[in-house]
Amino acid sequence: MEALGGYPVKSSAPKVKRLTVLLSMTVGVGCLFLLQTQLLKPQKPVDFYSFEVKDAKGKTVSLEKYRGKASLVVNVASHSEQTEAAYGSLQELHRELGTSHFNVLAFPCGQFGDTEPGTSSYIEAFAKSTYGVTFPFFGKIRIMGSETEPAFKFLTDSVQKIPKWNFWKFLVNPEGKVVRFWRADEPMESVRQEVAALVREIIVKKRAEL
């Protein structure tokens, strides 16, 4: 290639090509570094207590406060045929075993007919005023479909079962893992025995650590 006057002009194409290759290599190395960093970064273990949920007033709360205790997580409803008996037995268990090592955690769900039509705050107030319950209530959730509450999905994924009705019960150990579940029609005495045994384990372990 010649410029005006007959002097040759050196082509810039090889230089541009080298710069392009160098830039591609730099980007590639950067991507590999980021990928390696993510792979080597410690991943926070996922368990029930690692989730955040809404309480009955709509405030975001962490379930981390229940770590180290046994939790009986229940999908509750205000107007089910089982409501009165279920709330009575759950409150008795909550009171009997105390909150130092155990809690019933109630998650209202309105996906089973018209058994839970109210708002979260109404549901909590109704349960406390009508049945005298003192265990924690959380915001109304969905436990089926694409909008399933992540914390509850962890429970159902753990046991590979999705509740077919109200008052299914999931027993979560102090480390946040599901160790047992019960359908609504299973006897409460079985639940009480399993929960009490887990609470005894927690107490013995804590005493041994003193």
Side-chain angles (χ1 to χ4, degrees), residues 58-94:
K59 180 182 177 182
T60 299
V61 295
S62 173
L63 293 173
E64 190 68 32
K65 64 188 292 185
Y66 300 107
R67 187 178 298 281
K69 304 179 182 181
S71 299
L72 190 66
V73 187
V74 190
N75 61 299
V76 301
S78 301
H79 304 291
S80 173
E81 69 278 6
Q82 300 153 316
T83 300
E84 183 174 2
Y87 275 159
S89 57
L90 289 172
Q91 174 60 23
E92 182 180 351
L93 187 65
H94 187 76

Side-chain angles (χ1 to χ4, degrees), residues 2-208:
E2 293 185 355
L4 294 176
Y7 292 99
V9 176
K10 188 175 181 180
S11 174
S12 61
K15 184 177 181 180
V16 172
K17 186 175 181 180
R18 287 195 298 272
L19 287 173
T20 302
V21 172
L22 181 61
L23 181 60
S24 298
M25 291 176 64
T26 302
V27 172
V29 171
C31 290
L32 287 173
F33 175 77
L34 289 174
L35 179 61
Q36 185 181 32
T37 301
Q38 289 299 315
L39 290 174
L40 294 177
K41 184 180 179 180
Q43 298 297 314
K44 183 179 179 181
V46 176
D47 58 67
F48 181 70
Y49 300 127
S50 68
F51 289 93
E52 291 185 340
V53 297
K54 299 287 187 182
D55 66 13
K57 296 175 179 60
K59 180 182 177 182
T60 299
V61 295
S62 173
L63 293 173
E64 190 68 32
K65 64 188 292 185
Y66 300 107
R67 187 178 298 281
K69 304 179 182 181
S71 299
L72 190 66
V73 187
V74 190
N75 61 299
V76 301
S78 301
H79 304 291
S80 173
E81 69 278 6
Q82 300 153 316
T83 300
E84 183 174 2
Y87 275 159
S89 57
L90 289 172
Q91 174 60 23
E92 182 180 351
L93 187 65
H94 187 76
R95 183 176 60 248
E96 176 189 344
L97 297 179
T99 58
S100 296
H101 310 292
F102 169 73
N103 284 284
V104 171
L105 305 179
F107 285 83
C109 176
Q111 289 185 287
F112 301 112
D114 297 322
T115 57
E116 192 64 287
T119 63
S120 299
S121 57
Y122 167 82
I123 293 165
E124 179 184 41
F126 175 79
K128 290 185 175 182
S129 63
T130 306
Y131 301 106
V133 301
T134 59
F135 46 80
F137 268 74
F138 296 92
K140 190 174 177 180
I141 64 168
R142 299 180 69 85
I143 59 178
M144 298 179 290
S146 59
E147 297 181 5
T148 298
E149 168 62 46
F152 214 91
K153 188 175 187 302
F154 172 82
L155 303 178
T156 57
D157 284 351
S158 296
V159 300
Q160 294 296 297
K161 296 287 183 181
I162 297 176
K164 300 293 191 294
W165 197 245
N166 307 300
F167 295 104
W168 279 43
K169 305 165 190 73
F170 299 82
L171 181 58
V172 179
N173 71 10
E175 291 75 42
K177 303 301 181 183
V178 183
V179 294
R180 180 72 192 275
F181 81 97
W182 294 267
R183 298 175 178 84
D185 57 353
E186 294 185 77
M188 193 63 191
E189 182 57 27
S190 171
V191 179
R192 192 193 68 78
Q193 290 177 3
E194 292 273 354
V195 174
L198 181 55
V199 169
R200 283 195 295 271
E201 289 180 16
I202 295 171
I203 294 173
V204 170
K205 183 178 179 180
K206 285 186 175 181
R207 286 176 178 172

